[in-house]
Amino acid sequence: VDYPKAPDARARSMLLLTRVMSLVPMRLKNDMWNADVAFDLAAFHSLVRILKRALRQLVEASLTSILLLDLGRVNSLPDGFMCASPSRQDQTTTPAVLPTFMLPRACMGIVVRYFLEYSGSAAQFVTDVEGKFPCCQCAAKDLQLAFAFWDDLVRCVRDIAAPLEAEELYQEMT
């Protein structure tokens, strides 16, 4: 049997970046995804989907337990307090008060992989990425948001690395 080999440092870095950034939602046009598909990201997102459903069920069970102890609290809940539908003004937000654990698509991870493997000129990148991913409303701006998310994540890991003995993870991220 020809099992896959362990990825080298560059491949591991690419996997980490694309997986983490795929958690950032993209603004998509009302159209089908008509670009590349990454099977690694699809497999990763199947695990993310299971985790997010479990977290949502935990939130719902906790709320149910609280409400069963005092049914009068039901009246204090606002309308749509767990509405997972995206806002019409901003597709990346919801009106929910409690976490909804929306399931993002793997689109951003695919765009990040395109960025990491891009060999054209920097001046031409925005035009090329918009042409490569026509179903995205603004792939370049969403990519900037994904890198801001990455920066925040690196900062968080840096702050917790020593207490949680995760220095190795922090070193791989920087």
Side-chain angles (χ1 to χ4, degrees):
V1 177
D2 188 22
Y3 291 109
K5 311 260 184 297
D8 62 358
R10 183 182 187 290
R12 284 183 25 204
S13 297
M14 180 102 66
L15 286 172
L16 180 63
L17 280 168
T18 57
R19 288 176 180 178
V20 167
M21 291 189 187
S22 72
L23 299 173
V24 176
M26 286 194 79
R27 292 169 288 187
L28 301 174
K29 295 176 183 172
N30 207 2
D31 198 2
M32 298 259 317
W33 180 258
N34 56 352
D36 297 338
V37 174
F39 293 106
D40 168 70
L41 289 175
F44 173 71
H45 271 265
S46 68
L47 297 175
V48 169
R49 193 171 291 117
I50 291 167
L51 177 64
K52 286 192 171 198
R53 283 193 181 129
L55 289 172
R56 181 167 174 110
Q57 289 174 345
L58 179 63
V59 167
E60 290 172 353
S62 299
L63 179 63
T64 301
S65 176
I66 291 168
L67 293 176
L68 285 174
L69 293 174
D70 183 5
L71 290 175
R73 292 183 180 181
V74 171
N75 297 328
S76 64
L77 295 173
D79 291 336
F81 69 99
M82 281 190 76
C83 177
S85 300
S87 168
R88 288 189 177 147
Q89 293 79 18
D90 182 5
Q91 294 291 315
T92 61
T93 63
T94 65
V97 176
L98 295 176
T100 57
F101 303 104
M102 289 297 296
L103 302 173
R105 297 179 183 167
C107 307
M108 181 54 72
I110 295 168
V111 173
V112 167
R113 179 171 287 152
Y114 177 78
F115 171 78
L116 294 172
E117 295 173 345
Y118 186 73
S119 59
S121 72
Q124 190 64 29
F125 176 74
V126 173
T127 305
D128 290 348
V129 75
E130 300 293 338
K132 177 76 175 171
F133 303 101
C135 52
C136 301
Q137 286 182 4
C138 193
K141 285 185 181 178
D142 289 344
L143 190 59
Q144 289 175 335
L145 292 174
F147 277 102
F149 175 74
W150 175 259
D151 290 341
D152 288 342
L153 183 66
V154 170
R155 182 185 44 78
C156 291
V157 171
R158 181 197 66 216
D159 292 348
I160 66 169
L164 296 179
E165 299 178 4
E167 291 90 358
E168 183 180 339
L169 173 63
Y170 176 67
Q171 292 303 318
E172 286 188 21
M173 293 177 75
T174 56

